[in-house]
Amino acid sequence: MRRRTFLASGAAVGAAAVAGCSAEEVDDGTGGTTGSVEDDDTIVVASTEAFVDAPSDSAGPWVKDEFEARTGATLEWDVRDQGINYYIERHNEGVGNDAEVYLNVRPHDLVRIDENADGDLFVPIDDGALSNLDDVGEDYYFDPQDRVVPTWLSYCSLVYDGRSLEAPGSFEDLLSEAYRGKLALSNPQEGTTGLLFMLWTIDEFGEDGYLEFWNDLLENDARVLDGWSDVYPQFLEEEVPMIVSYSNDRVYAKRDEQDLEKHQVGFLEGQGYANLLGAARFADGTNDDLAHEFVDFVLEPDVQAAVAERNVTGPVVESAEPPEVYRDYAEHPDEIVFFDYDELSGNLSTWLEDWGREVAGDV
């Protein structure tokens, strides 16, 4: 597999069956069961709540229906509140894992896995089994150990209500009186957008300055909530006029006939933080054929295009042509900020611990 790194700036919905030949319940390690082993035509795919059951819209139901229609197989999602930590814990406990593939692995997930998992949680996907892999852009690869196949890309940005706010142009603007009490974002220790924003502030202010910015942000009455799924509904219900979210928000708003004046995108300093995602194969997986078939399916150009609209995440397959609504309303920053695996490794835990010690107590 090709090893390239994306532009570096410097800085339980359900659980069920896996492959097998006969019906058999699977011990979940707590005395309960998570599903049953049934046949080779069922695949369990682990993913995130935002992909399967988001407060705005989700691609998960469409992906399930389309994969089943094309292959005749059954796809079952496995979404856990603990995210990747759930699978690390089960792996370390030696408890069987139902899922064959984890869809939407991010660079910081890999760092957590490598710091906490005993042995291999993921193994490299067989390049030769993926007919669409050659069409994946070289710059989207982010795993130096070749365990992850890139699948989507989006950008962390501000989303604000243009009917009541002017766009803040800089991080310093967020500390001004004009934006007092106007911003909500997720806890970096709990939510992805909060973590991406924290990394963005580290890039802007450095390791020695980002905590001071966060403390100033809280003094300006910014709200820190648990996760994006807690933040976004507050924006939709007009309880807060500005949030940290994703720059493709207007795709969802246009398609859902929302007021576009309310759904404006803000790039601080002209920047957006890259949110790269991929698919990884669980080392405990048993159904290689169906696992590879699923990963190849998500790399189909028409699937990439469909997910671009439904999940408002951009394609990584170069021949994919997103629908008109995506081309017209997805916004891209002038400058991309991104910490690659090597930059995160050895630093991420410290940055989060420092944030927790210096900032979380004031949330």
Side-chain angles (χ1 to χ4, degrees), residues 5 11 36 131 155 185 225 232 265 290 302 329 334 346 357-358:
T5 301
S36 61
S131 62
Y155 301 101
L185 67 169
L225 308 176
Y232 201 76
V265 172
L290 204 50
D302 65 322
Y329 293 97
D334 293 334
R357 183 175 59 254
E358 298 292 334

Side-chain angles (χ1 to χ4, degrees), residues 337-353:
V337 177
F338 181 69
F339 286 107
D340 65 20
Y341 175 91
D342 290 333
E343 292 169 311
L344 293 175
S345 182
N347 291 312
L348 180 61
S349 295
T350 300
W351 292 340
L352 282 169
E353 289 169 3

Side-chain angles (χ1 to χ4, degrees), residues 62 66 70 131-136 151-152 294-310 313-323:
W62 182 88
E66 193 67 19
R70 294 188 189 190
S131 62
N132 297 305
L133 192 63
D134 288 343
D135 209 16
V136 175
T151 53
W152 341 103
F294 176 77
V295 176
D296 211 28
F297 162 78
V298 301
L299 297 178
E300 289 283 355
D302 65 322
V303 174
Q304 290 268 298
V307 172
E309 177 180 356
R310 289 172 170 81
T313 48
V316 297
V317 169
E318 293 178 338
S319 61
E321 184 174 353

Side-chain angles (χ1 to χ4, degrees), residues 95-107:
V95 180
N97 177 22
D98 296 343
E100 298 284 340
V101 172
Y102 193 103
L103 183 63
N104 293 339
V105 181
R106 295 176 169 90

Side-chain angles (χ1 to χ4, degrees), residues 74-90:
T74 298
L75 189 162
E76 299 189 1
W77 295 114
D78 187 24
V79 177
R80 301 291 175 172
D81 292 341
Q82 309 97 314
I84 197 66
N85 292 333
Y86 171 83
Y87 302 97
I88 295 172
E89 291 173 4
R90 288 182 68 85

